[in-house]
Amino acid sequence: MSSTPLLDKIQWPHELRALERRELATLAEELREFIIQSVARTGGHLSSNLGTVELAIALHYVFDTPRDRLVWDVGHQTYAHKILTGRRSGMSRLRMKNGLSGFPRRSESEYDTFGTAHSSTSISAALGMATAFKRAHSEQRAIAIIGDGALTGGMAFEAMNNARHTGADLIVVLNDNEMSISHPVGALSNHLARIMSGRFYNTMRRGGEKVLGVAPPILEFAKRWEEHMKGMVNPPATLFEEFGFNYIGPIDGHDLDTLISTLGNVKKLEGPQFLHVVTRKGKGYALAEADPILYHGVTPFDPAVGIQPKPSGKPSYTQVFGDWLCDMAALDPRLYAITPAMCEGSGLVRFSKDYPERYFDVGIAEQHALTFAAGLACEGLKPVVAIYSTFLQRAYDQLIHDIALQNLPVVFAIDRAGLVGADGATHAGSFDLTYLRCMPNMTVMAPADENECRQMLFTAFHLDGPTAVRYPRGTGPGVAITQDMSALPVGRGEMRRQGRTVAILAFGAVLTASLEAGERLNASVANMRFVKPLDEALITRMALSHDLLVTVEENTIQGGAGSAVGEMLARENIAIPLLHLGLPDRFVDQGDPAALLVDCGLDAQGIVGAIERRRQELKSLRNDSASA
């Protein structure tokens, strides 16, 4: 007998809307249990999805989806949404190659109205849709669902600032799952929300404005009195109403009756509406409720037992960075660490506890993080910005104008460089070598192993200018880490294998596969270490003593490290056949990281195969020339 008999009947939102409201609480219980069991098998985001079960049900119950557009911010809380929109069977291959994405994706379903994975975009996108509906005289609604963390991103406030001027009927639902804005949730606030979202209240409100409009001073007094009363009952109301939104809430995000009634009322209102909903991360699974951070992103586990500590093995690059940061801070009081809401992911937990006065989590605000670091550097401090490659892209203007242009000594510890596996293209660090190396004053390093990462971070910290050390997700080859730290000579690579005919220039973690390929081909292999400045002397020696020069990098080929080598050789008038290996000119989708490298030809066998094909092409060209 099925443990989810009601959920088994629901494949699409129109079937959900056919249910009696009294059945929805049972559906929520079954849906929550299905998510727990499903994610326990596949891995994925758990605590955030358990917190939005009732909200997803209520939104699809009240609104005519997909005609009405639900725009989920970030999107790691959309599993219930996916299950209710025809994709329940696909959850068995969640975040796997050719399986369901862990985030909304327009190509996956018409119910995924906007592709996301980075935060703070939902209000802008939904406002664009709502404006288009207004221009078309359509009654369709656009609803942005944004979390309290994503609301710290400046783009969300930019969108709200613009909303009132469009005149569009935009609905913003704030999913407040950290109690970070307001605490008054309960019967009274739920009751007030129903009143404030009701048609009678809002009709009287508009009617009063018309009547009092003939006496502007009285109208202004009435508006200020309303704002004052809302502000006393609920302080956030004043903030959002200053942006031109009609603020409603906060309400209990797990009370389906209140959610549906309030959303039903809000749906009928005109102009920008802001509904504040309070939920609990990990709702319904005691272990996730107790530690929502641990259960935010999980690998497969036994839900009856919970996540168990793994035996310590090779340290990840993230751990290497976190340890270096604490060691360096002990040596130099000028070190300050900054992260845009990625304390755990970037390895800053220990530092945040050991050096709380020198630790700054600025929220999901990458632009601010960089300019804040620039200000610290202006006053003689040594800021280290811990950031994912894919998130650094969001602050590119600040990187150029506020840091590089002013040649400020900011260290960028760039995690998740290259492919990242299950999170897919939105989180892959595919472009950082390209977008960093074109910048004047920037030094760019790519460690090949754990110990080299530690020494490069030490080197970067002592340079008097902006410096980036980019390293991949996960563990390295297992090289022993030297606790003593010493600076590497800037712009100098090293020969790792001497061979004949073919020379491989490896940038970063691809050195391991390059060395294996070098053994099979009897090729020379260099660990280039620096993408900028290049070791031009080493490149020149390799070019003049070999017949084919191969560059290997886990970055897009366009404009990457290989391109830098080609530009240097052209400038020096050195002619030699080149082969550039790297990420292809497409967004690489989700999957097992090792398998993705194979698909991209960046494993040892792929490197060997590409070189052999290139050598065969060159041989054919020589034969054609000789016969001509």
Side-chain angles (χ1 to χ4, degrees):
M1 183 176 178
S2 172
S3 60
T4 56
L6 188 55
L7 180 61
D8 292 345
K9 300 177 183 178
I10 306 299
Q11 290 294 324
W12 302 98
H14 71 270
E15 297 168 327
L16 167 66
R17 291 190 279 270
L19 294 178
E20 298 291 335
R21 282 177 64 166
R22 58 181 172 79
E23 298 178 281
L24 297 182
T26 301
L27 177 65
E29 291 178 7
E30 294 182 10
L31 183 52
R32 183 168 277 113
E33 182 60 26
F34 179 84
I35 290 173
I36 293 170
Q37 298 300 326
S38 178
V39 175
R41 288 191 298 270
T42 64
H45 293 99
L46 183 60
S47 56
S48 55
N49 280 289
L50 294 178
T52 55
V53 168
E54 287 85 1
L55 182 57
I57 291 172
L59 287 166
H60 282 291
Y61 193 80
V62 170
F63 293 96
D64 183 18
T65 57
R67 186 173 182 271
D68 290 331
R69 314 297 199 206
L70 300 183
V71 183
W72 297 87
D73 210 286
V74 184
H76 58 212
Q77 77 283 46
T78 54
Y79 294 178
H81 159 80
K82 286 176 180 277
I83 293 165
L84 295 171
T85 54
R87 288 170 279 180
R88 179 183 175 185
S89 62
M91 291 295 289
S92 62
R93 290 195 54 79
L94 179 71
R95 291 159 42 97
M96 300 178 189
K97 187 177 181 181
N98 300 321
L100 287 184
S101 170
F103 305 97
R105 179 178 291 181
R106 282 172 56 84
S107 61
E108 188 177 287
S109 170
E110 64 178 331
Y111 290 89
D112 290 357
T113 62
F114 196 77
T116 56
H118 286 194
S119 81
S120 314
T121 62
S122 61
I123 302 178
S124 295
L127 180 59
M129 296 172 185
T131 301
F133 296 154
K134 181 179 177 65
R135 297 295 181 268
H137 304 289
S138 171
E139 294 183 357
Q140 292 169 268
R141 304 306 302 264
I143 306 96
I145 306 99
I146 186 169
D148 53 291
L151 199 64
T152 65
M155 187 175 176
F157 286 90
E158 292 173 16
M160 287 192 292
N161 186 55
N162 181 230
R164 87 161 81 188
H165 301 292
T166 67
D169 297 332
L170 170 69
I171 298 172
V172 174
V173 177
L174 171 61
N175 173 34
D176 180 0
N177 55 30
E178 291 290 350
M179 303 295 288
S180 59
I181 296 180
S182 182
H183 288 271
V185 177
L188 177 58
S189 89
N190 285 347
H191 178 67
L192 288 174
R194 292 188 189 190
I195 294 174
M196 291 160 59
S197 66
R199 179 170 290 180
F200 176 78
Y201 171 84
N202 282 275
T203 299
M204 293 297 294
R205 187 172 184 261
R206 289 192 299 272
E209 289 178 355
K210 290 180 180 179
V211 171
L212 296 176
V214 297
I218 301 177
L219 174 61
E220 181 64 23
F221 173 79
K223 284 184 175 180
R224 289 184 178 275
W225 180 85
E226 181 185 40
E227 290 179 3
H228 178 67
M229 293 305 295
K230 279 189 177 182
M232 285 198 304
V233 174
N234 191 4
T238 304
L239 169 64
F240 296 114
E241 297 217 342
E242 286 295 327
F243 281 103
F245 282 80
N246 177 38
Y247 175 92
I248 301 159
I251 63 173
D252 183 351
H254 302 297
D255 182 337
L256 274 165
D257 191 53
T258 295
L259 271 175
I260 291 170
S261 297
T262 306
L263 284 169
N265 288 335
V266 171
K267 180 180 179 179
K268 302 168 187 175
L269 303 180
E270 297 179 351
Q273 307 295 321
F274 194 101
L275 175 60
H276 185 171
V277 175
V278 175
T279 61
R280 183 179 179 86
K281 276 188 175 181
K283 174 71 173 177
Y285 183 48
L287 294 173
E289 288 189 29
D291 194 346
I293 294 176
L294 177 64
Y295 286 85
H296 173 71
V298 302
T299 55
F301 70 100
D302 181 351
V305 177
I307 297 173
Q308 298 299 303
K310 294 181 179 179
S312 58
K314 296 186 296 184
S316 67
Y317 281 100
T318 303
Q319 290 173 291
V320 171
F321 164 71
D323 290 341
W324 168 83
L325 192 67
C326 291
D327 294 345
M328 195 71 240
L331 297 175
D332 196 327
R334 298 175 301 161
L335 187 151
Y336 280 66
I338 302 165
T339 180
M342 293 303 296
C343 179
E344 292 79 19
S346 291
L348 291 167
V349 173
R350 179 184 155 203
F351 183 90
S352 68
K353 295 177 180 177
D354 291 353
Y355 300 95
E357 73 284 355
R358 291 196 262 164
Y359 166 74
F360 294 94
D361 182 343
V362 300
I364 302 176
E366 293 87 358
Q367 292 174 303
H368 165 63
L370 266 64
T371 305
F372 174 57
L376 291 175
C378 284
E379 298 306 319
L381 299 178
K382 297 285 287 190
V384 177
V385 178
I387 192 167
Y388 287 9
S389 171
T390 184
F391 297 148
L392 183 56
Q393 297 162 185
R394 309 190 91 192
Y396 196 55
D397 184 69
Q398 287 69 29
L399 184 60
I400 296 173
H401 285 267
D402 298 341
I403 294 175
L405 182 63
Q406 302 187 90
N407 199 27
L408 293 171
V410 177
V411 175
F412 293 93
I414 304 176
D415 206 332
R416 271 59 167 185
L419 302 178
V420 293
D423 282 335
T426 55
H427 283 61
S430 305
F431 312 108
D432 54 81
L433 294 185
T434 298
Y435 69 68
L436 287 171
R437 79 169 191 85
C438 66
M439 224 172 286
N441 297 327
M442 182 67 69
T443 299
V444 183
M445 295 179 248
D449 59 54
E450 301 93 328
N451 186 55
E452 196 165 76
C453 183
R454 179 176 172 87
Q455 308 309 325
M456 283 185 175
L457 289 163
F458 182 81
T459 305
F461 188 79
H462 287 91
L463 293 180
D464 191 22
T467 310
V469 180
R470 61 100 71 171
Y471 44 88
R473 182 178 189 175
T475 58
V479 172
I481 297 174
T482 304
Q483 291 305 305
D484 291 339
M485 295 180 284
S486 58
L488 301 175
V490 176
R492 292 281 297 278
E494 61 169 358
M495 287 296 301
R496 293 293 296 269
R497 188 185 191 281
Q498 189 63 54
R500 300 177 56 200
T501 310
V502 176
I504 301 174
L505 309 181
F507 293 87
V510 291
L511 176 66
T512 301
S514 298
L515 284 169
E516 186 178 338
E519 288 292 331
R520 297 189 197 180
L521 297 168
N522 190 24
S524 297
V525 181
N527 173 20
M528 294 305 296
R529 288 180 166 169
F530 288 82
V531 177
K532 185 178 183 181
L534 287 170
D535 189 339
E536 297 188 0
L538 177 57
I539 295 170
T540 299
R541 289 199 307 273
M542 300 280 269
L544 296 178
S545 58
H546 295 79
D547 298 330
L548 173 64
L549 208 57
V550 183
T551 64
V552 188
E553 61 191 298
E554 198 173 335
N555 183 83
T556 184
I557 294 174
Q558 286 81 355
S563 293
V565 172
E567 293 161 11
M568 175 252 151
L569 292 171
R571 187 179 67 248
E572 298 298 323
N573 294 313
I574 299 174
I576 181 175
L578 287 172
L579 173 62
H580 298 316
L581 302 180
L583 299 181
D585 187 23
R586 60 178 171 84
F587 290 105
V588 179
D589 210 347
Q590 65 200 34
D592 175 75
L596 294 179
L597 288 174
V598 171
D599 291 345
C600 295
L602 292 178
D603 63 319
Q605 184 58 45
I607 294 170
V608 169
I611 291 173
E612 288 179 335
R613 288 189 296 273
R614 181 60 170 150
R615 293 174 76 179
Q616 189 59 45
E617 291 170 1
L618 293 171
K619 182 178 179 180
S620 298
L621 287 172
R622 286 194 297 269
N623 290 339
D624 291 344
S625 298
S627 61

